Amino acid sequence: MTTLLVSHPACLDHETPFGHPERSDRLRAIDKVLGAERFSALTRTLAPEATFDMVALCHSEHEIGEIRHRAPKEGYAYIDADTSMSPGSLEAILRSTGGAVAAADAVMTGAARNAFVATRPPGHHAEIGKPMGFCFFNNAAIATRHSQRKYGIGRAAIVDFDVHHGNGTQDIFWADKTVMYCSTHQMPLFPGTGAANERGDHNTIVNAPLRAGDSSAQFREAFENTILPRLRDFAPELLIISAGFDAHYRDPLANLALDGADYRWVTQQLMDIADASAGGRIVSVLEGGYDLQGLSESVDAHVTTLMKG
Ligand SMILES: [Zn+2]
């Protein structure tokens, strides 16, 4: 069975102000890597646009209305100091979410064993009622709920190794015992949430914060001691990865020191979990990663490992 790659050129048209780290060159860098001959076995598909009904699985009507009508005819419309929309943003946002949903459909129907969704903007900071931190709709969360509704998935897990805490995903699933959310992230750092004592209403939120300067050893320890045992006990029937690569040592937004070997390792660990309880089903959704060389190396490691599944 194959690994599916989901992307769409319209995701380049979400423009951000000059100097903004979340820029379309990120996807160009990924395209270049995954265009290499050794990735020719990937099945490639274009991300469809999500419907607003799909978005409503995780977001309030107020938030959907805000995004739906906010894109400017020219220039930028600011949602907050870091988060803005350009004329092409709405389509990119909907394809980013729709790509995650399409990837979930593919692994749930058996069309693919696992999938990587190389779209932007990212999603894990988007809360039920609040877009923030470069994020508009929570792609990973929506794909998770979609899979539960459409395919009757009882237990799903979202594992987030982006260097920032996925406050949005935690917010959406805080009181939902059917979804486990696990995160490693640098703390303190934006957005400020993610302490180990934030556990959700049903103890299904698993936060393993790391400190500035931490590298491979501490990252792997957090997985081996905290996250992997909890995932094994939970036995998810579907595993979603919020795949941010900004914990790479080259990344300008944070101070962890991971490299390609760490992303290879964590991907393999998560594939072992998925093999044990989820029939190997993994949907990996791009979140952060802002140094183009670090991002390229990390995505190479991550997708190469997914393809071995
Ligand atoms: Zn991040």
Side-chain angles (χ1 to χ4, degrees):
M1 281 227 287
T2 57
T3 295
L4 180 69
L5 172 65
V6 186
S7 61
H8 198 286
C11 290
L12 299 170
D13 297 336
H14 165 55
E15 288 167 32
T16 49
F18 182 78
H20 196 289
E22 205 295 282
R23 61 210 191 276
S24 49
D25 280 350
R26 299 176 61 231
L27 292 187
R28 291 192 184 94
I30 291 174
D31 261 7
K32 194 173 167 199
V33 172
L34 298 182
E37 176 60 30
R38 65 185 183 285
F39 292 106
S40 60
L42 287 169
T43 304
R44 293 160 200 260
T45 193
L46 290 172
E49 289 189 35
T51 64
F52 288 104
D53 282 347
M54 289 172 183
V55 178
L57 291 169
C58 293
H59 293 291
S60 66
E61 260 180 57
H62 172 78
E63 145 127 8
I64 295 170
E66 276 269 292
I67 303 301
R68 192 171 186 170
H69 304 296
R70 200 66 188 280
K73 294 264 189 294
E74 56 183 86
Y76 299 107
Y78 281 84
I79 308 289
D80 65 31
D82 309 318
T83 314
S84 56
M85 293 179 75
S86 70
S89 293
L90 184 61
E91 183 180 346
I93 291 166
L94 292 174
R95 290 199 188 276
S96 211
T97 300
V101 169
D105 281 333
V107 304
M108 288 311 307
T109 58
R113 179 172 183 79
N114 56 37
F116 180 60
V117 185
T119 58
R120 61 183 281 279
H124 73 151
H125 294 307
E127 298 184 346
I128 296 168
K130 190 180 175 197
M132 60 180 275
F134 318 164
C135 299
F136 301 87
F137 296 147
N138 197 314
N139 309 317
I142 293 165
T144 302
R145 280 254 163 90
H146 169 81
S147 303
Q148 292 190 295
R149 296 291 159 86
K150 190 166 175 185
Y151 302 102
I153 287 287
R155 291 177 314 281
I158 301 175
V159 178
D160 183 337
F161 52 66
D162 189 279
V163 82
H164 302 97
H165 182 242
N167 60 294
T169 313
Q170 174 167 300
D171 176 55
I172 290 165
F173 296 112
W174 183 262
D176 185 344
K177 63 182 174 201
T178 68
V179 177
M180 175 169 276
Y181 173 67
C182 303
S183 176
T184 51
H185 44 274
Q186 182 179 324
M187 203 173 179
L189 188 69
F190 179 90
T193 48
N197 65 4
E198 295 168 24
R199 297 196 174 99
D201 285 349
H202 304 283
N203 197 27
T204 48
I205 305 282
V206 182
N207 284 310
L210 301 167
R211 281 189 293 256
D214 280 356
S215 62
S216 180
Q218 294 81 9
F219 175 74
R220 295 183 190 208
E221 250 173 53
F223 268 90
E224 281 174 338
N225 297 341
T226 306
I227 292 178
L228 296 174
R230 291 295 307 277
L231 284 171
R232 271 182 217 114
D233 285 351
F234 189 69
E237 297 154 64
L238 172 67
L239 187 62
I240 308 273
I241 303 177
S242 263
F245 299 103
D246 41 10
H248 191 278
Y249 72 92
R250 290 183 56 94
D251 200 274
L253 262 57
N255 311 94
L256 295 189
L258 304 189
D259 62 18
D262 294 309
Y263 290 114
R264 220 171 0 257
W265 178 84
V266 73
T267 304
Q268 185 60 57
Q269 298 302 312
L270 295 176
M271 288 168 74
D272 292 347
I273 298 278
D275 283 344
S277 62
R281 290 185 289 268
I282 292 182
V283 175
S284 175
V285 180
L286 179 67
E287 301 284 0
Y290 303 102
D291 176 81
L292 299 182
Q293 189 183 322
L295 179 64
S296 301
E297 177 191 326
S298 305
V299 166
D300 188 328
H302 181 58
V303 175
T304 299
T305 309
L306 285 176
M307 288 171 76
K308 289 183 192 149

